[in-house]
Amino acid sequence: MELRQLRYFIAVAEAGSFSRAAQLLHVSQPPLSVQIKALEDEIGVRLLERTTRGVSLTVAGAAFFEEVRGALARIEHAKSAAARADRGEIGMLAIGFVSIADYGVLPPALKGFRASRPLVEVQLHELTTDAQIRELRASRLDLGIALGPVNEPDLQFDVLLHEELVLAAPANHPLAKGEGAVDLRALAKESFIIPPRDIAPGLYDLVQDHCRAFGFVPRITQHARQMQTVISLVSSGMGFALVPASVRNLKRRGVQYRRLRGKPARVELGVLRARGASTPLVEHFIAALRSASG
C-alpha cells in the first residue's frame, strides 16, 4: 500500500468522479483507475461503487475513507514537525547553569530565546561546573553554562564572557565603608569564603593567584558550594569573598560590594557541551547567550 494510492482514493471519493479526480491530480485517468483497483485488491474489499452517474463510497469505503483521511493528516503533521525540529523551532532543551549565570547572562538569554522559539521546552538545572560535566557525559544535559577553564578531552568549552572579580564584604566591616576601590593587601589577615576547588577550580585558582600577586595567601576558613551560600556567609560576618561582578545583582542585606585596586582578575563564563555534539536547538540557544552577553 502506497501513500500515492491513498491520496488517489481520497481524491476520487471527494470528487465523486475518476475524471474530475484525475484532473485535480494532474494525472491521466487510466493509471488512476489501475492504482485504485490495486488498492482494493490489497485490502480485499470493494471501496468504490462505479456507476454511470459517477462514483460513490461503499460501506467499507466510507469506513476506510475516514481512517485514511486522518492518517494522511497525521503524516502531513509529522512532515511539518520534522521540518520545524530541523529548524530548531520545537523540542526540548536541558540546560545546566552555575548560579552566577542566573545573576547576569541567563535571564536575558532565556527571554530572547523564548521570544523566537515559544514552542521549545527549556528545562533548567542549577549545577556546579563539576556536576555539569557528569550530567553531560551521562547525556542528561544538552549544554551547560559553566565556569572556566574546562580542560576535558571529550567536552567543548567556549568562552561567553569574562567577569571581573569584586570584593563582597560584611557591611559592618571597616573595609566595606566608602565607595572607592579596596587594596587587596588590606585583606591579608582576614578570613575568606570560597567554593571548594573540586567544584570550581577556575575560580578557586584565580582567587589564590590574585591574592598571591598582592603578597599573601588567602586564609580560607569556609567553603560553600553555591554562590548564594557564599554571600549568605559574608552577610553573617563569617569573612570576605572575591566574587564575579554579576553577583552584585544578588542584593543581600548585610553585604557591601567593592571594586579592587590594581589589575583586575577576571573569571571565565562559557558554554559547555559534548565535543562535536550539536543540534539546531543548541545552536539557537548559544546564539541567544552570545547576544545577551554582548
Side-chain angles (χ1 to χ4, degrees), residues 151-218:
N151 298 308
E152 301 290 339
D154 57 331
L155 300 177
Q156 179 178 338
F157 181 80
D158 299 306
V159 177
L160 278 174
L161 54 88
H162 293 87
E163 279 202 49
E164 182 177 339
L165 293 186
V166 298
L167 177 67
N172 59 359
H173 194 282
L175 285 174
K177 307 303 179 185
E179 297 181 356
V182 173
D183 189 330
L184 194 56
R185 287 172 291 193
L187 299 169
K189 295 182 180 180
E190 300 293 343
S191 298
F192 278 79
I193 304 160
I194 190 172
R197 191 180 189 282
D198 61 331
I199 70 165
L203 178 60
Y204 186 96
D205 292 345
L206 183 63
V207 170
Q208 290 276 357
D209 293 344
H210 199 53
C211 289
R212 288 192 180 99
F214 281 84
F216 71 97
V217 176

Coordinates of all heavy atoms in Angstrom, one line a residue, residues 151-218:
N151 N 39.1 21.8 30.9 CA 40.0 21.1 30.0 C 39.7 19.6 30.1 O 40.4 18.9 30.8 CB 41.5 21.4 30.4 CG 41.8 22.9 30.3 OD1 41.6 23.5 29.3 ND2 42.4 23.4 31.4
E152 N 38.7 19.2 29.4 CA 38.3 17.8 29.3 C 38.3 17.4 27.8 O 37.6 18.1 27.0 CB 36.9 17.6 29.9 CG 36.7 18.1 31.4 CD 37.5 17.1 32.3 OE1 37.7 16.0 31.9 OE2 37.8 17.6 33.4
P153 N 39.0 16.4 27.5 CA 39.1 16.0 26.1 C 37.8 15.7 25.3 O 37.7 15.9 24.1 CB 40.0 14.8 26.1 CG 39.9 14.2 27.5 CD 39.7 15.4 28.4
D154 N 36.8 15.2 26.1 CA 35.5 14.9 25.4 C 34.5 16.0 25.5 O 33.4 15.8 25.0 CB 34.9 13.6 26.1 CG 34.7 13.8 27.6 OD1 35.5 14.6 28.2 OD2 33.8 13.2 28.2
L155 N 34.9 17.2 26.0 CA 33.9 18.3 26.2 C 34.5 19.5 25.5 O 35.7 19.7 25.4 CB 33.6 18.6 27.6 CG 33.0 17.4 28.5 CD1 32.8 17.9 29.9 CD2 31.7 17.0 27.9
Q156 N 33.6 20.4 25.0 CA 34.0 21.6 24.4 C 33.5 22.8 25.2 O 32.4 22.9 25.6 CB 33.3 21.7 23.0 CG 33.6 23.0 22.2 CD 33.0 23.0 20.9 OE1 32.7 21.9 20.3 NE2 32.8 24.1 20.3
F157 N 34.5 23.7 25.6 CA 34.1 24.9 26.4 C 34.4 26.1 25.5 O 35.6 26.3 25.1 CB 35.0 24.9 27.6 CG 34.7 26.1 28.5 CD1 33.6 26.1 29.3 CD2 35.5 27.2 28.5 CE1 33.3 27.2 30.2 CE2 35.3 28.3 29.3 CZ 34.1 28.3 30.2
D158 N 33.4 26.9 25.3 CA 33.5 28.2 24.5 C 33.2 29.3 25.4 O 32.1 29.4 26.0 CB 32.6 28.1 23.3 CG 32.9 27.0 22.4 OD1 34.1 26.9 22.0 OD2 32.0 26.2 22.1
V159 N 34.2 30.2 25.6 CA 34.0 31.4 26.5 C 32.9 32.3 25.9 O 32.9 32.7 24.8 CB 35.3 32.1 26.6 CG1 35.1 33.4 27.5 CG2 36.4 31.2 27.2
L160 N 32.0 32.7 26.8 CA 31.0 33.7 26.5 C 31.4 35.1 26.9 O 31.3 36.0 26.2 CB 29.7 33.4 27.3 CG 28.7 32.3 26.7 CD1 27.6 32.1 27.7 CD2 28.2 32.8 25.4
L161 N 32.0 35.2 28.1 CA 32.4 36.5 28.7 C 33.4 36.3 29.8 O 33.5 35.2 30.3 CB 31.1 37.3 29.1 CG 30.2 36.6 30.1 CD1 30.6 36.8 31.6 CD2 28.8 37.1 29.9
H162 N 34.0 37.4 30.1 CA 34.9 37.5 31.3 C 34.3 38.4 32.3 O 34.0 39.6 31.9 CB 36.3 37.9 30.9 CG 37.1 36.9 30.0 ND1 36.9 36.9 28.6 CD2 37.9 36.0 30.3 CE1 37.7 36.0 28.1 NE2 38.3 35.4 29.1
E163 N 34.2 38.0 33.5 CA 33.7 38.8 34.6 C 34.8 39.2 35.6 O 35.5 38.4 36.0 CB 32.6 38.1 35.3 CG 31.2 38.2 34.6 CD 30.1 38.0 35.6 OE1 30.1 38.6 36.7 OE2 29.2 37.1 35.3
E164 N 34.8 40.5 35.9 CA 35.8 41.0 36.9 C 35.4 40.5 38.3 O 34.2 40.5 38.6 CB 35.9 42.5 36.8 CG 36.9 43.1 37.7 CD 36.9 44.6 37.5 OE1 36.5 45.1 36.5 OE2 37.4 45.3 38.5
L165 N 36.4 40.1 39.1 CA 36.1 39.8 40.5 C 36.0 41.1 41.3 O 36.7 42.1 41.1 CB 37.3 39.0 41.0 CG 37.4 37.5 40.5 CD1 38.5 36.8 41.3 CD2 36.1 36.8 40.5
V166 N 35.0 41.1 42.2 CA 34.9 42.2 43.1 C 34.9 41.6 44.5 O 34.7 40.4 44.7 CB 33.6 43.0 42.9 CG1 33.6 43.6 41.5 CG2 32.3 42.1 43.0
L167 N 35.0 42.5 45.5 CA 35.0 42.1 46.9 C 33.6 42.2 47.5 O 32.9 43.2 47.3 CB 35.9 43.1 47.7 CG 36.0 42.8 49.2 CD1 36.7 41.5 49.5 CD2 36.7 44.0 49.9
A168 N 33.2 41.0 48.1 CA 32.0 41.0 48.9 C 32.4 41.1 50.3 O 33.1 40.2 50.8 CB 31.2 39.7 48.6
A169 N 32.0 42.1 51.0 CA 32.5 42.3 52.4 C 31.3 42.4 53.3 O 30.2 42.9 52.9 CB 33.3 43.6 52.5
P170 N 31.4 42.0 54.6 CA 30.3 42.2 55.6 C 30.1 43.7 55.7 O 31.1 44.5 55.8 CB 30.9 41.6 56.9 CG 32.0 40.7 56.4 CD 32.5 41.3 55.2
A171 N 28.9 44.2 55.7 CA 28.5 45.6 55.6 C 29.0 46.4 56.8 O 29.3 47.6 56.7 CB 27.0 45.8 55.5
N172 N 29.2 45.7 58.0 CA 29.6 46.4 59.2 C 31.2 46.4 59.4 O 31.7 46.9 60.4 CB 29.0 45.8 60.4 CG 29.3 44.3 60.6 OD1 30.0 43.7 59.8 ND2 28.8 43.7 61.7
H173 N 31.9 45.9 58.4 CA 33.3 45.9 58.5 C 33.9 47.2 58.0 O 33.4 47.7 57.0 CB 33.9 44.7 57.7 CG 35.3 44.4 58.0 ND1 36.4 45.1 57.5 CD2 35.9 43.4 58.7 CE1 37.5 44.6 57.9 NE2 37.3 43.6 58.7
P174 N 35.0 47.7 58.6 CA 35.5 49.0 58.1 C 35.9 49.0 56.7 O 35.8 50.0 56.0 CB 36.8 49.1 59.0 CG 36.5 48.4 60.3 CD 35.6 47.2 59.8
L175 N 36.4 47.8 56.1 CA 36.7 47.8 54.7 C 35.5 47.9 53.7 O 35.7 48.2 52.5 CB 37.5 46.5 54.4 CG 39.0 46.5 54.9 CD1 39.6 45.1 54.6 CD2 39.8 47.5 54.2
A176 N 34.3 47.8 54.3 CA 33.1 47.9 53.4 C 32.7 49.3 53.3 O 31.8 49.6 52.5 CB 32.0 47.1 54.0
K177 N 33.2 50.2 54.1 CA 32.8 51.6 54.1 C 33.4 52.3 52.9 O 34.4 52.0 52.4 CB 33.3 52.3 55.4 CG 32.9 51.6 56.7 CD 31.4 51.4 56.8 CE 31.0 50.7 58.1 NZ 29.5 50.4 58.1
G178 N 32.6 53.4 52.4 CA 33.0 54.2 51.3 C 32.7 53.6 50.0 O 32.0 52.5 49.9
E179 N 33.1 54.2 48.9 CA 32.8 53.8 47.6 C 34.0 53.5 46.7 O 33.9 53.0 45.6 CB 31.9 54.8 46.9 CG 30.6 55.0 47.6 CD 29.7 56.1 46.9 OE1 30.2 56.6 45.9 OE2 28.6 56.3 47.3
G180 N 35.2 53.8 47.2 CA 36.4 53.6 46.4 C 36.9 52.2 46.3 O 36.3 51.3 47.0
A181 N 37.8 51.9 45.4 CA 38.4 50.6 45.3 C 39.2 50.2 46.5 O 39.8 51.1 47.2 CB 39.2 50.5 44.0
V182 N 39.2 48.9 46.9 CA 39.9 48.4 48.0 C 41.2 47.8 47.6 O 41.3 47.1 46.6 CB 39.0 47.4 48.8 CG1 39.8 46.7 49.9 CG2 37.7 48.0 49.3
D183 N 42.2 48.1 48.4 CA 43.5 47.5 48.2 C 43.5 46.1 48.8 O 43.2 45.9 50.0 CB 44.6 48.3 48.9 CG 46.0 47.8 48.5 OD1 46.2 46.6 48.2 OD2 47.0 48.6 48.5
L184 N 43.7 45.1 47.9 CA 43.6 43.7 48.4 C 44.5 43.3 49.5 O 44.2 42.4 50.3 CB 43.8 42.7 47.2 CG 43.4 41.3 47.3 CD1 41.9 41.1 47.7 CD2 43.6 40.5 46.1
R185 N 45.7 44.0 49.6 CA 46.6 43.7 50.7 C 46.0 44.0 52.1 O 46.5 43.4 53.1 CB 47.9 44.6 50.5 CG 48.7 44.1 49.3 CD 49.9 45.0 49.0 NE 49.4 46.3 48.4 CZ 50.1 47.2 47.8 NH1 51.4 47.0 47.7 NH2 49.6 48.3 47.3
A186 N 45.0 44.8 52.1 CA 44.4 45.1 53.4 C 43.6 43.9 53.9 O 43.2 43.8 55.1 CB 43.4 46.3 53.3
L187 N 43.4 42.8 53.1 CA 42.7 41.6 53.5 C 43.6 40.5 53.9 O 43.2 39.4 54.0 CB 41.8 41.2 52.3 CG 40.7 42.2 51.9 CD1 40.1 41.7 50.6 CD2 39.7 42.3 53.0
A188 N 44.9 40.7 53.9 CA 45.9 39.7 54.1 C 45.6 38.8 55.4 O 45.9 37.6 55.4 CB 47.3 40.2 54.2
K189 N 45.1 39.4 56.4 CA 44.8 38.7 57.7 C 43.4 38.3 57.9 O 43.0 37.8 58.9 CB 45.3 39.5 58.9 CG 46.8 39.8 58.8 CD 47.3 40.5 60.1 CE 48.8 40.8 60.0 NZ 49.3 41.5 61.2
E190 N 42.5 38.6 56.9 CA 41.1 38.4 57.0 C 40.8 36.9 56.6 O 41.5 36.2 55.9 CB 40.3 39.4 56.2 CG 40.5 40.8 56.5 CD 40.0 41.2 57.9 OE1 39.1 40.4 58.4 OE2 40.3 42.2 58.4
S191 N 39.6 36.5 57.0 CA 39.1 35.2 56.6 C 38.4 35.3 55.2 O 37.7 36.2 54.9 CB 38.0 34.7 57.6 OG 38.7 34.6 58.9
F192 N 38.6 34.2 54.4 CA 38.0 34.2 53.1 C 37.0 33.0 53.0 O 37.2 31.9 53.6 CB 39.0 34.0 52.0 CG 39.7 35.3 51.6 CD1 40.7 35.9 52.4 CD2 39.3 36.0 50.5 CE1 41.3 37.1 52.1 CE2 39.9 37.2 50.1 CZ 40.9 37.8 50.9
I193 N 36.0 33.2 52.2 CA 35.0 32.2 51.9 C 35.0 32.0 50.4 O 35.0 32.9 49.6 CB 33.5 32.7 52.3 CG1 33.5 33.1 53.8 CG2 32.5 31.6 52.0 CD1 32.4 33.9 54.2
I194 N 35.1 30.7 50.0 CA 35.3 30.4 48.6 C 34.7 29.0 48.3 O 34.7 28.1 49.2 CB 36.8 30.4 48.2 CG1 37.0 30.3 46.7 CG2 37.5 29.3 49.0 CD1 38.5 30.6 46.3
P195 N 34.2 28.8 47.1 CA 33.8 27.4 46.7 C 35.0 26.5 46.7 O 36.1 26.9 46.4 CB 33.2 27.6 45.3 CG 32.8 29.0 45.2 CD 33.8 29.8 46.0
P196 N 34.8 25.2 47.1 CA 35.9 24.3 47.1 C 36.5 24.1 45.7 O 35.7 24.2 44.7 CB 35.3 23.0 47.6 CG 33.8 23.1 47.4 CD 33.5 24.6 47.5
R197 N 37.7 23.8 45.6 CA 38.4 23.7 44.3 C 37.8 22.6 43.4 O 37.8 22.7 42.2 CB 39.9 23.4 44.5 CG 40.7 23.6 43.2 CD 42.2 23.4 43.3 NE 42.8 23.8 42.1 CZ 42.9 23.0 41.0 NH1 42.3 21.8 41.0 NH2 43.5 23.4 39.9
D198 N 37.3 21.5 44.0 CA 36.8 20.4 43.1 C 35.6 20.7 42.3 O 35.3 20.1 41.3 CB 36.6 19.1 44.0 CG 35.5 19.3 45.0 OD1 35.4 20.5 45.5 OD2 34.8 18.4 45.4
I199 N 34.8 21.8 42.8 CA 33.6 22.1 42.0 C 33.9 23.4 41.2 O 33.1 23.6 40.2 CB 32.4 22.3 42.9 CG1 32.6 23.6 43.8 CG2 32.2 21.1 43.8 CD1 31.3 24.0 44.4
A200 N 34.8 24.2 41.5 CA 35.1 25.4 40.7 C 36.6 25.7 40.7 O 37.1 26.7 41.3 CB 34.3 26.6 41.4
P201 N 37.4 24.9 40.0 CA 38.8 25.0 40.1 C 39.3 26.3 39.4 O 40.3 26.9 39.9 CB 39.3 23.8 39.2 CG 38.2 23.4 38.4 CD 37.0 23.7 39.2
G202 N 38.6 26.8 38.4 CA 39.0 28.1 37.8 C 38.9 29.2 38.7 O 39.8 30.1 38.8
L203 N 37.7 29.3 39.4 CA 37.5 30.4 40.3 C 38.5 30.3 41.5 O 39.1 31.3 42.0 CB 36.1 30.5 40.8 CG 35.7 31.5 41.8 CD1 36.0 32.9 41.3 CD2 34.2 31.4 42.2
Y204 N 38.6 29.1 42.0 CA 39.5 28.9 43.2 C 40.9 29.3 42.9 O 41.5 30.0 43.7 CB 39.4 27.4 43.6 CG 40.2 27.0 44.9 CD1 39.5 27.0 46.1 CD2 41.5 26.8 44.8 CE1 40.2 26.6 47.2 CE2 42.2 26.5 46.0 CZ 41.5 26.4 47.2 OH 42.2 26.1 48.4
D205 N 41.4 28.8 41.8 CA 42.8 29.2 41.4 C 43.0 30.7 41.1 O 44.0 31.2 41.4 CB 43.3 28.3 40.2 CG 43.4 26.9 40.5 OD1 43.4 26.5 41.7 OD2 43.4 26.1 39.5
L206 N 42.0 31.3 40.5 CA 42.0 32.7 40.2 C 42.1 33.5 41.5 O 42.9 34.5 41.6 CB 40.8 33.1 39.4 CG 40.8 34.6 39.0 CD1 42.0 34.9 38.0 CD2 39.5 34.9 38.3
V207 N 41.3 33.2 42.5 CA 41.4 33.9 43.8 C 42.7 33.7 44.4 O 43.3 34.7 44.9 CB 40.2 33.4 44.7 CG1 40.4 34.0 46.1 CG2 38.9 33.8 44.2
Q208 N 43.2 32.5 44.5 CA 44.5 32.2 45.1 C 45.6 33.0 44.4 O 46.5 33.7 45.0 CB 44.8 30.7 45.0 CG 44.0 29.8 45.8 CD 44.5 29.7 47.3 OE1 45.6 30.2 47.6 NE2 43.8 29.0 48.1
D209 N 45.7 33.0 43.0 CA 46.7 33.6 42.3 C 46.6 35.2 42.4 O 47.6 35.8 42.5 CB 46.6 33.3 40.8 CG 46.9 31.8 40.5 OD1 47.5 31.2 41.4 OD2 46.6 31.3 39.4
H210 N 45.4 35.7 42.5 CA 45.3 37.1 42.6 C 45.7 37.6 44.0 O 46.4 38.6 44.1 CB 43.8 37.5 42.4 CG 43.6 39.0 42.1 ND1 44.3 39.6 41.1 CD2 42.8 39.9 42.7 CE1 43.9 40.9 41.0 NE2 43.0 41.1 42.0
C211 N 45.4 36.8 45.0 CA 45.9 37.2 46.4 C 47.4 37.1 46.4 O 48.1 38.0 47.0 CB 45.3 36.3 47.4 SG 43.5 36.6 47.7
R212 N 48.0 36.1 45.8 CA 49.5 35.9 45.9 C 50.1 37.1 45.1 O 51.2 37.5 45.5 CB 49.9 34.6 45.2 CG 49.5 33.4 46.1 CD 50.2 32.1 45.5 NE 49.9 30.9 46.3 CZ 49.0 30.1 46.0 NH1 48.3 30.2 44.9 NH2 48.7 29.0 46.8
A213 N 49.5 37.6 44.1 CA 50.0 38.7 43.3 C 50.1 40.0 44.2 O 50.9 40.9 44.0 CB 49.2 39.0 42.1
F214 N 49.3 40.0 45.3 CA 49.4 41.1 46.2 C 50.2 40.7 47.5 O 50.1 41.4 48.5 CB 48.0 41.5 46.6 CG 47.3 42.4 45.5 CD1 46.7 41.8 44.4 CD2 47.4 43.8 45.6 CE1 46.1 42.6 43.4 CE2 46.8 44.6 44.6 CZ 46.2 44.0 43.5
G215 N 50.9 39.6 47.5 CA 51.8 39.3 48.5 C 51.3 38.4 49.6 O 52.0 38.3 50.7
F216 N 50.2 37.8 49.5 CA 49.7 36.9 50.6 C 48.9 35.7 50.1 O 48.4 35.8 48.9 CB 48.9 37.7 51.6 CG 47.6 38.1 51.1 CD1 46.4 37.4 51.4 CD2 47.4 39.3 50.3 CE1 45.2 37.8 51.0 CE2 46.1 39.7 49.9 CZ 45.0 38.9 50.2
V217 N 48.8 34.7 50.9 CA 48.0 33.5 50.6 C 46.7 33.7 51.4 O 46.7 33.9 52.6 CB 48.7 32.2 51.0 CG1 47.7 31.0 50.8 CG2 50.0 32.0 50.2
P218 N 45.5 33.7 50.7 CA 44.3 33.9 51.4 C 44.0 32.8 52.5 O 44.3 31.6 52.3 CB 43.2 33.8 50.3 CG 43.8 33.0 49.3 CD 45.3 33.3 49.3

